[in-house]
Amino acid sequence: MTTHKNPKWWTAENDSSWSRVKEAMKRDWDQTEHDMGGKKPDTNQKIGNTVRQATGSEIIPPRDEPAYDKVEPAYRYGYGARAKYGSEFSEWDDAESQLKQEWEEMEPSHRQTWMQDRAAIRYGWEFEP
């Protein structure tokens, strides 16, 4: 593993941000290689995914995994939650704290990922077929 020297002002927050941006950029790089005829799998990574992943508003799937497979549980939950709670909460902002609590209770690891999963859950909540 390569270690890098950091400037004096570099903090743990910089490490965390860079780690997220780096992973998003790797997926973007793999998609570009695929699009140019390389042997990388098609991850269906678009520039919007890269930007959202880099800013932390979208989860970052493993490099060789299509994004949908990773976010499908959150889409599914949001869509189902709208059917369950839609008459009680007409707006996302009203429902969010209930959904967050329920999402985190479903599986302990969700407590670590709420801010990443939130965008996909909201997308599922707001989806109208």
Side-chain angles (χ1 to χ4, degrees):
M1 181 164 129
T2 306
T3 53
H4 303 281
K5 285 191 169 195
N6 295 325
K8 291 178 183 180
W9 49 261
W10 194 270
T11 66
E13 185 176 331
N14 295 116
D15 279 331
S16 177
S17 295
W18 172 243
S19 179
R20 187 177 57 248
V21 169
K22 179 174 74 172
E23 292 307 311
M25 293 173 85
K26 285 178 181 179
R27 283 186 56 81
D28 189 71
W29 181 267
D30 290 346
Q31 183 65 47
T32 300
E33 283 189 43
H34 168 80
D35 294 347
M36 300 301 289
K39 294 185 180 188
K40 293 288 184 179
D42 184 358
T43 58
N44 197 27
Q45 181 89 356
K46 309 280 189 277
I47 188 64
N49 299 109
T50 303
V51 170
R52 288 187 299 275
Q53 291 166 3
T55 60
S57 62
E58 180 176 305
I59 62 171
I60 304 172
R63 283 181 76 181
D64 293 335
E65 186 176 302
Y68 182 82
D69 294 341
K70 192 71 171 176
V71 296
E72 192 265 343
Y75 287 154
R76 179 178 179 272
Y77 172 70
Y79 183 77
R82 179 61 179 252
K84 168 75 174 152
Y85 299 117
S87 60
E88 184 179 344
F89 302 109
S90 60
E91 299 293 324
W92 166 261
D93 291 340
D94 299 329
E96 184 175 2
S97 68
Q98 167 72 28
L99 302 181
K100 178 180 187 281
Q101 179 181 355
E102 190 172 86
W103 182 247
E104 291 174 345
E105 288 173 357
M106 287 170 35
E107 185 176 323
S109 66
H110 289 318
R111 279 192 291 277
Q112 305 288 319
T113 63
W114 169 255
M115 285 313 292
Q116 293 176 331
D117 296 339
R118 180 183 178 274
I121 293 168
R122 184 173 185 169
Y123 182 84
W125 172 271
E126 294 176 345
F127 183 78
E128 294 183 29

